[in-house]
Structures are given as C-alpha cells and as structure tokens.
Amino acid sequence: MRDREMRQLVRKEKIRQNETLNLIASENYVSPGVREALASVFTNKYAEGYTRARYYAGNKHVDELEELVQSRALKLFIRQPADRKMWDVNVQPYSGSPANLAVYHALIPVGSKIMAMALDMGGHLTHGYRVSVTGKLWKQVPYGVDKKTEKINYDEVLKIAKKEKPTLLIAGGSAYARIIDFKKMRKIADAVGAIFMVDMSHFAGLVAGGAYPSPFTYAHVVTTTTHKTLRGPRAALIFARKSQISNLKSQTNSKFKIQNSKLSIAEAINKIVFPGIQGGPHMNTIAAIGVALSEADTNQFRIYSKQVVKNSKALAEELKKIGWKIISGGTDSHLFLVNTMEKGISGGEASDLLEGVGIIVNKNTIPYDTQKPTNPSGIRVGTPALTTRGMKEKEMRLIAHLISDSLLQTQKKLTIQVDIKKLCKKFPILP
Ligand code: DSN
C-alpha cells in the first residue's frame, strides 16, 4: 500500500490483533481466502438488482457469483435437498441491521408488535429496542429470562405472547448462552398467529458445524450476519420460505395484516432489500461470503465449531471453580456472561482492567441488571476467535486464571502481560 499513514495503522492493528487475546464473542479472524475475495476486482462493479435483472451491463460474472453464493448458503444450512427447495436466500444485505430491518419492512406493518428478547436480558438492538429505528417503527414486546435460572422460561414467553399478540416473534440475541428451543418458540408463534423469525447471527457458525441446533425446521425467516462464528466478512444473509405469507394461519388473529400478502415471504423480502433499503450490493463482500461458506462446509470447520463450544464450557467452568458467577450457571454455546459486580467490579472497570493486560472483552448488562448499560454489572466472554487461533481447553483454563488475577489484581500486571504475550506467540494468527 502506498498510503504511508494507512499502512502504519494497518500494521499497528495487526500487531494489536496478534498480541492480544480476543474474547469478544462476536469477532473472529477470517482466512486469507476471505480477505483475498474482499480485496478482489468485484469491488469495482455496480450490480443493482438481482441475477439476470440488473440495472447495469457487465454483470455476467457477478450473476454467476451471486448464484454460486446462494447455492452454497442453502446447501450449508439446509442439508436435505427437499427442504432446501422451500427456501430462498438473499445474500445482498450489507450487515445484520439492514437485514433485520428488511424483514420487518417486508412482512409486518409499521406500528405492529415485534416480540423479542429484551436487550438487557441478552437480546439485540435491532429487535425493536427503543433507540433503534426498529423500535421507533414497531413496538417491541420484550421477553426475558427467568430471574432464578437465568434461562428462557417458555411458559412465560407464551403468557406474554398470548397477552400481547405480536405479529412477529424473534428468537436469538447477542448475549444468551443457552440453547434456544426453536420448536417451542414456533409453537408459541403459532398459538398467537405470529411469524417466527430466528436471528442466528451469533451462533450461525455453530449451526453450520453441527454444534448448535438448526432453526430451519421451525422458522419462517432466518437472518444471520456472516462475520461472527461463521468466520466470514462483515455482511448478512436472509433465508426466507418460498411460501406465500397469506397462507400463514397467523394472520387470522392479528389486527395487523401482513404486508404484500400476494407475494411469497422471500419475494417480499427481496423487494425490500433492493430497492427498498439498499443500493448496489457489495459484490466483493458477497464473494468473500462465498469463500467463508465453502470453508464452513468442511470437516475441519465442523471440528472447529465443536471446539468453540468445548472451549467456552471449559473457560466458564474454570472461572466458576475459582469463584466467579457465570450467568445461568454455564453455557451451551460460544459465549457466556460473568457477573463481575458481585466482586465489586463493574463491567466497564473489568473490561478496562483486562484490556490493560491484553485481554479483550466487552462490558455487558446481565439479566435484571441494576447498573446503567454504559457501565453494567458484567462482561461477555466468547471463544470463536481464540479457537480459530488453535487454542483448546488447556489454554482456556490458563486464561480463566489470567482473567481472574487481572480483575482481582492478585498478580503483578507485568507478569500477566508477559504470560499473555507468550500465549499469543505460541498461537500466531496473522503472518
Ligand atoms: N454488536 C454485535 C455483538 O457484539 O453481539 C451484535 O450485532
């Protein structure tokens, strides 16, 4: 790169990534192949529209690319060819937020209710939270976790759904460590006539690798980002059923009729992604999604995704053993929450203390948090990135002690920093 300033920033960021332990649950390291596709000539091309229906000429290879990525996405997530035929996938969303917005805009009338996990219980901003545009256009009906078990209480979800009659029910979030029972959630959606959407952004890679249940049997729509456990570029996918939305029995109960009822769910969504919300798709990113999808369709990735969960369990268990409170008592996935406030350390302080020694996490609210979201009571810890580096349970146990010693300041900062650098060196990630 000729640009000296930019080159230096890239170099510095590369050193930072190499020399710190990344425990941010939503981050990962992409392969050289994914980065190569991102930097490919496809970045030069405008391709507004869809395959063979573009607004510009010169899209012969773009069309082939988009179709290839669609078929890879469908094949990876829906194993049975007969089931696959019932689904379409849109590979154009720039990221998770526009993907979710497109689904709502396509399927549910403005003003109707989206029932989703509350943000401070582990949900996501774009599931109708008040500061997001999704919370301004639609009304969020939140559900949470049980105060005692800190897990979803499906009877409680049903009770809220029956009372509120949402038009859309969402499963998935950004800080819920446990397996979600999609079958039960679909039953709840059916009981009140709601569309059932799963946002699998966090655990998509685990679904692809067989380390987490698949939502496809039960959902009408599945959205996902591609850059978390799936280890692709920063973008998103929307999987949608080809059935007509007017066929959804849901609509009988709702005072809000679903939009575009003559179209299939997938057609309605495609129309909103483009031209409704977005302009030209980022074809270089779509190429990179394609690379990530083919990488995820390998035995190596299946082993990786299972190791992500094993590592997460090992790290949570060891932290628990040495006296830290893990929300819900453990994890079934790539992440978990630690209540640091219990030891008098806020989430913000914890995150700063850890960054000071080279461990990167994010502060996070815990269920029924009494602190403000800007400085909540806990941290979120995730293992996708460290697993990509090749670390296993043994390293997780060591890291648990490094985390604990840093937070409690029971070891000299310098000693911990040296240990972390050594560990990073042993598991290099970026050449
Ligand atoms: N911000 C992402 C996360 O960290 O979970 C979700 O969009």
Side-chain angles (χ1 to χ4, degrees), residues 348-378:
E349 283 167 320
S351 159
D352 289 347
L353 279 169
L354 292 173
E355 183 162 14
V357 295
I359 297 175
I360 311 299
V361 298
N362 64 279
K363 57 185 175 190
N364 217 100
T365 50
I366 58 170
Y368 304 96
D369 211 325
T370 49
Q371 297 280 116
K372 288 200 176 115
T374 43
N375 193 15
S377 298

Side-chain angles (χ1 to χ4, degrees), residues 26 124 174 202 228 380:
S26 48
H124 194 259
S174 58
H202 260 271
K228 299 183 173 90
R380 186 182 65 166

Side-chain angles (χ1 to χ4, degrees), residues 24-27 96-97 123-124 126 173-175 201-202 225 227-228 234 335 362 364 380:
I24 292 189
S26 48
E27 292 184 8
S97 312
H124 194 259
T126 63
S174 58
S201 294
H202 260 271
T225 49
H227 48 273
K228 299 183 173 90
R234 310 193 76 82
L335 64 78
N362 64 279
N364 217 100
R380 186 182 65 166

Side-chain angles (χ1 to χ4, degrees), residues 115-304:
M115 184 165 160
M117 184 173 255
L119 184 65
D120 58 359
M121 296 272 175
H124 194 259
L125 273 171
T126 63
H127 296 175
Y129 190 62
R130 59 187 157 77
V131 299
S132 151
V133 68
T134 60
K136 300 192 190 303
L137 294 177
W138 296 277
K139 183 178 173 343
Q140 193 199 53
V141 175
Y143 62 86
V145 293
D146 185 84
K147 206 162 186 176
K148 209 159 146 221
T149 61
E150 295 171 328
K151 295 178 185 170
I152 296 173
N153 175 339
Y154 296 91
D155 294 336
E156 191 55 34
V157 178
L158 176 63
K159 219 158 93 187
I160 303 171
K162 279 189 165 162
K163 182 167 169 258
E164 298 284 351
K165 297 211 172 24
T167 312
L168 178 75
L169 175 67
I170 303 179
S174 58
Y176 185 66
R178 297 303 188 164
I179 281 171
I180 300 169
D181 190 329
F182 299 123
K183 189 175 179 184
K184 280 192 182 155
M185 290 298 273
R186 171 63 191 263
K187 261 183 129 172
I188 296 169
D190 283 347
V192 299
I195 300 173
F196 180 41
M197 165 179 146
V198 176
D199 180 344
M200 64 167 185
S201 294
H202 260 271
F203 46 84
L206 307 182
V207 172
Y212 196 93
S214 167
F216 283 88
T217 314
Y218 304 105
H220 295 113
V221 179
V222 178
T223 61
T224 183
T225 49
T226 46
H227 48 273
K228 299 183 173 90
T229 44
L230 194 55
R231 220 161 58 182
R234 310 193 76 82
L237 305 170
I238 305 173
F239 295 87
R241 286 189 184 263
K242 286 182 183 165
S243 47
Q244 266 199 322
I245 39 191
S246 54
N247 292 344
L248 285 178
K249 108 172 196 266
S250 67
Q251 288 311 284
T252 47
N253 288 349
S254 178
K255 119 169 142 94
F256 290 99
K257 293 280 174 250
I258 287 173
Q259 327 248 55
N260 299 319
S261 58
K262 284 198 190 76
L263 301 175
S264 73
I265 299 177
E267 283 165 342
I269 290 171
N270 289 347
K271 269 179 177 277
I272 296 295
V273 172
F274 177 85
I277 292 178
Q278 298 191 165
H282 299 172
M283 295 315 302
N284 56 322
T285 309
I286 293 172
I289 295 175
V291 175
L293 292 170
S294 88
E295 288 171 358
D297 205 355
T298 56
N299 264 337
Q300 212 184 349
F301 191 88
R302 285 184 267 280
I303 293 167
Y304 160 74

